[in-house]
Amino acid sequence: MIKIELLSKNNFTESSLDSYVRKQDVKRVYRKEEGKNILVDMPYVEDWTLERKRQVAKSLSSDECISYIVRNEDCVVGFVGLIKQLANDYMILDMMHVSAEYRGKGLGRKLFELGKKEAEKAGAKALYISACSSEETIAFYKAMGAVVTKNTIKQLEEAEPYDLQMICKVGG
């Protein structure tokens, strides 16, 4: 049975993502050309090593994050991690993923909505997303109501120069 729950020391450890499938076959990505974001062919496969999964698990369970996990029995099949400390009027969506075999079932939408609720509770005006520039990722965030912003967090933009910097307003 699939459940979404707040990450805690009782339901998550550093090895909780060991069997997580972080695989994405990317075909096209957005790149900035003449001031516009356009799609270009750039096929690659995104996948995580065991070491990377454990780094992500450590980050998700840190005191700086509010995280939710999606569980199917004892396996984590999705998660969202938010940075607690607001950056200006933004709550940063640090990472969000749904395991390959569980995509297309509405889990990403549910996780994103939880992120928006946490941002609103914290007093943020928007969720800030430094989003992977793959066509599918950007389509998802746009479907959630996010838009590319010019009011970027420079540190995040510089750390991931190919990411698209997006915001999604929260609240009424």
Side-chain angles (χ1 to χ4, degrees), residues 5-8 59-69 79-86 91-95 111 114-115 117-122 127:
E5 51 195 23
L6 187 64
L7 183 147
S8 73
S59 178
L60 285 172
S61 57
S62 78
D63 290 338
E64 289 83 39
C65 280
I66 300 167
S67 301
Y68 287 87
I69 56 173
F79 55 85
V80 63
L82 307 143
I83 304 297
K84 287 180 186 175
Q85 179 67 46
L86 297 186
M91 177 172 266
I92 298 169
L93 190 155
D94 187 41
M95 62 182 82
L111 288 169
L114 285 168
K117 285 180 185 170
E118 287 293 341
E120 189 174 7
K121 279 196 303 190
L127 268 180

Side-chain angles (χ1 to χ4, degrees), residues 17-33:
L17 298 179
D18 286 4
S19 63
Y20 183 80
V21 181
R22 170 54 179 119
K23 186 167 184 190
Q24 184 175 356
D25 292 313
V26 175
K27 299 203 180 348
R28 300 191 315 164
V29 298
Y30 284 92
R31 290 295 181 259
K32 196 167 286 264
E33 289 187 16

Side-chain angles (χ1 to χ4, degrees), residues 4-157:
I4 298 178
E5 51 195 23
L6 187 64
L7 183 147
S8 73
K9 292 185 184 344
N10 296 327
N11 65 12
F12 194 84
T13 68
E14 193 174 303
S15 61
S16 289
L17 298 179
D18 286 4
S19 63
Y20 183 80
V21 181
R22 170 54 179 119
K23 186 167 184 190
Q24 184 175 356
D25 292 313
V26 175
K27 299 203 180 348
R28 300 191 315 164
V29 298
Y30 284 92
R31 290 295 181 259
K32 196 167 286 264
E33 289 187 16
E34 297 177 18
K36 293 182 181 176
N37 290 313
I38 63 161
L39 278 170
V40 298
D41 291 333
M42 190 173 292
Y44 67 93
V45 175
E46 177 80 28
D47 206 352
W48 285 350
T49 63
L50 180 60
E51 178 183 17
R52 178 68 178 135
K53 290 175 187 180
R54 292 202 172 161
Q55 288 171 341
V56 169
K58 188 174 180 181
S59 178
L60 285 172
S61 57
S62 78
D63 290 338
E64 289 83 39
C65 280
I66 300 167
S67 301
Y68 287 87
I69 56 173
V70 180
R71 299 174 65 84
N72 185 11
E73 304 302 331
D74 290 333
C75 293
V76 174
V77 298
F79 55 85
V80 63
L82 307 143
I83 304 297
K84 287 180 186 175
Q85 179 67 46
L86 297 186
N88 300 325
D89 291 330
Y90 299 140
M91 177 172 266
I92 298 169
L93 190 155
D94 187 41
M95 62 182 82
M96 188 177 93
H97 296 283
V98 174
S99 191
E101 67 271 25
Y102 290 88
R103 293 183 195 141
K105 300 178 185 315
L107 298 172
R109 177 177 296 278
K110 288 177 183 172
L111 288 169
F112 193 81
E113 289 301 325
L114 285 168
K116 286 174 60 176
K117 285 180 185 170
E118 287 293 341
E120 189 174 7
K121 279 196 303 190
K125 292 185 178 161
L127 268 180
Y128 186 95
I129 309 134
S130 183
C132 166
S133 63
S134 73
E135 182 176 19
E136 300 82 5
T137 299
I138 300 306
F140 170 80
Y141 285 125
K142 284 183 175 181
M144 297 297 99
V147 295
V148 175
T149 184
K150 291 185 189 321
N151 188 16
T152 65
I153 297 173
K154 295 293 179 212
Q155 181 182 359
L156 294 177
E157 187 176 29

